[in-house]
Amino acid sequence: MFLTPDEREMLNGAQGRSSQKAMQILVALGEIYGAERMIPVRSVQVAGVSYDNLGEAGLQFLAELADGGGRVRVPTTLNPAGMDIENWRTLGIPEDFAKAQLRVLEAFSRMGVTLTCTCTPYLVGNLPAAGEHLAWSESSAVCYANSVLGAYTNREGGPSALAAALTGRTPEYCLHLVEKRQPGLTVVVEATLAGSSDFGALGKVIGDHIALSKSIPYIRGIPSASLEELKSLCASLATYGGAALFHIEGLSPEAGQLTAPGTELVVTRADLETASHSLSSATSAEVDFVSLGCPHLSLDEIRRISQLLQGKQVKKEFWITTARHTRTLAERLGYTQVIEAAGAKFAADTCCVVAPIQGRFKAMATDSAKACYYASAKNKLKTLILPFDEVVKEALV
Ligand code: F3S
């Protein structure tokens, strides 16, 4: 693999222990995937932040990189942590966990990572342009960056994304190459889609279909979609199909230069209903936990929740998960006050999947196909998937 003199210096340790470790990770990856060279990246999104997932070994790895002089060389944002950094007590997070989580964040901070703690970096200032090369982890954000924004990133793991941040480089392979971004399957959507839950169901139908082939979908029949609908589709397709890229005719930046493949998957309203049905294992009566914000909520979604909760009182534990930045804007607009007066709780910086909630609840209502998967697989919860407004109403009964 060709390395520039600067990259060789990093690899031989002349630029410090942490740059060396990071370059070793990237060279190993590049050799496995047959990359011919490194390329510079414009930004990085690092996942693997919750102490619930990292444990003590992960924390040590981060602390050693920070102690070894590791400092990010490009703008670098961070995935959700295991708790709301300011409000963890209200959310019932144990003190020991909180202390460990704060040590994780301190290590990232020493390396110069911006503690955004969100899976929607594109909503809080890390907004790539089409054609830019990135090294992002967080599968839903990777899918959004490639498919909606037209940027180029592989689906990095936490360590390889951090290694890219500490060197400013990533090996050039797979989705950094135009020829690897060609679609392999045409999806014809025959249903009219509305809302995050419909788009999540579509992600599950397509994801299940491509889970083995890993074909890149070229989707027809979606004349328009909101940012919120697209983030839901991205999260679901990444979860169920392992997808890092899709193209929507008329919407995705690259779609106009591509030819729709001959192989087709037709998706009908009945397919979407079957997918939604398969994600619901709980009845309304069993639901004791309600969560919106997977991926993290936009300001407009928080506005909608405040409209629906105005003057009402929730009867179930209701978490609203979003970026701290978005919560601050919601507060300035008065949405936060309405929502908290109704008894719902903001869980900024975190989410219902990465927070340590296993054993606290029996069944969760959500609009997110991705949250259903992890609530069941990681937190052993039953799930009920509903349209966005219906989820809010579920908290009131
Ligand atoms: Fe984000 Fe947590 Fe969902 S990281 S995409 S809210 S599982």
Side-chain angles (χ1 to χ4, degrees):
M1 182 176 184
F2 172 79
L3 295 180
T4 63
D6 189 36
E7 290 158 0
R8 287 206 171 281
E9 266 196 9
M10 291 189 222
L11 188 61
N12 68 26
Q15 297 189 21
R17 266 190 296 138
S18 297
S19 297
Q20 182 180 34
K21 178 88 207 149
M23 191 50 87
Q24 284 169 344
I25 292 172
L26 297 178
V27 168
L29 257 182
E31 283 174 353
I32 289 167
Y33 289 103
E36 291 181 3
R37 59 174 187 161
M38 297 285 171
I39 50 170
V41 291
R42 289 296 297 268
S43 77
V44 171
Q45 165 79 3
V46 176
V49 184
S50 173
Y51 184 75
D52 206 31
N53 301 332
L54 283 171
E56 205 51 34
L59 170 55
Q60 277 314 314
F61 174 74
L62 295 173
E64 276 165 26
L65 285 175
D67 292 344
R71 299 294 177 266
V72 302
R73 298 181 194 229
V74 292
T76 302
T77 46
L78 200 61
N79 235 34
M83 62 182 198
D84 185 309
I85 299 170
E86 295 176 12
N87 197 27
W88 52 270
R89 279 196 178 84
T90 315
L91 297 168
I93 303 297
E95 182 130 11
D96 285 357
F97 180 90
K99 282 188 180 149
Q101 184 63 75
L102 290 173
R103 283 166 56 219
V104 169
L105 294 172
E106 190 254 347
F108 278 123
S109 176
R110 278 199 287 146
M111 287 188 268
V113 176
T114 312
L115 304 185
T116 43
C117 296
T118 182
C119 50
T120 54
Y122 44 90
L123 293 181
V124 300
N126 188 353
L127 182 65
E132 285 186 354
H133 292 270
L134 323 170
W136 281 21
S137 45
E138 170 45 42
S139 62
S140 67
V142 165
C143 210
Y144 195 94
N146 279 318
S147 317
V148 179
L149 302 175
Y152 288 21
T153 178
N154 283 323
R155 185 170 154 150
E156 302 292 344
S160 65
L162 186 55
L166 298 178
T167 57
R169 310 287 206 284
T170 196
E172 186 182 41
Y173 69 94
C174 203
L175 294 180
H176 290 288
L177 303 166
V178 171
E179 63 270 23
K180 301 283 187 189
R181 299 173 66 90
Q182 303 303 308
L185 169 76
T186 298
V187 178
V188 181
V189 180
E190 291 192 340
T192 304
L193 304 179
S196 49
S197 54
D198 261 3
F199 276 79
L202 177 65
K204 170 143 174 63
V205 174
I206 302 173
D208 286 347
H209 190 84
I210 62 164
L212 289 180
S213 68
K214 298 287 179 245
S215 295
I216 295 172
Y218 181 94
I219 306 173
R220 287 184 149 154
I222 302 181
S224 66
S226 67
L227 180 157
E228 290 80 6
E229 290 168 334
L230 290 168
K231 79 177 162 67
S232 176
L233 174 61
C234 288
S236 181
L237 243 173
T239 299
Y240 293 99
L245 168 65
F246 60 82
H247 305 283
I248 300 182
E249 192 172 65
L251 287 181
S252 297
E254 290 156 273
Q257 297 125 47
L258 302 169
T259 310
T263 324
E264 276 199 3
L265 167 71
V266 176
V267 181
T268 63
R269 171 55 52 189
D271 296 323
L272 299 177
E273 278 165 15
T274 304
S276 285
H277 190 70
S278 73
L279 295 174
S280 286
S281 53
T283 62
S284 170
E286 290 174 298
V287 169
D288 56 354
F289 179 47
V290 176
S291 183
L292 281 171
C294 176
H296 272 174
L297 292 173
S298 69
L299 191 58
D300 200 47
E301 288 174 309
I302 295 174
R303 178 193 57 77
R304 180 67 186 148
I305 296 170
S306 77
Q307 278 179 343
L308 294 167
L309 289 183
Q310 178 80 50
K312 304 196 171 115
Q313 276 300 308
V314 301
K315 300 204 172 65
K316 293 171 181 163
E317 179 88 359
F318 184 7
W319 283 18
I320 298 183
T321 63
T322 190
R324 168 82 39 205
H325 179 82
T326 311
R327 186 200 184 285
T328 302
L329 290 176
E331 192 162 359
R332 286 200 187 148
L333 290 161
Y335 306 153
T336 307
Q337 295 82 335
V338 171
I339 290 168
E340 290 185 336
K345 294 175 184 169
F346 270 87
D349 313 313
T350 188
C351 79
C352 64
V353 169
V354 298
I357 59 166
Q358 196 178 335
R360 281 180 59 188
F361 308 105
K362 287 195 207 71
M364 177 179 79
T366 179
D367 68 328
S368 166
K370 175 175 178 175
C372 286
Y373 177 85
Y374 286 103
S376 157
K378 176 175 178 283
N379 287 330
K380 314 295 173 216
L381 287 166
K382 290 173 116 182
T383 53
L384 178 61
I385 190 163
L386 296 167
F388 190 91
D389 287 9
E390 298 299 311
V391 176
V392 178
K393 288 177 192 155
E394 188 59 43
L396 297 167
V397 295

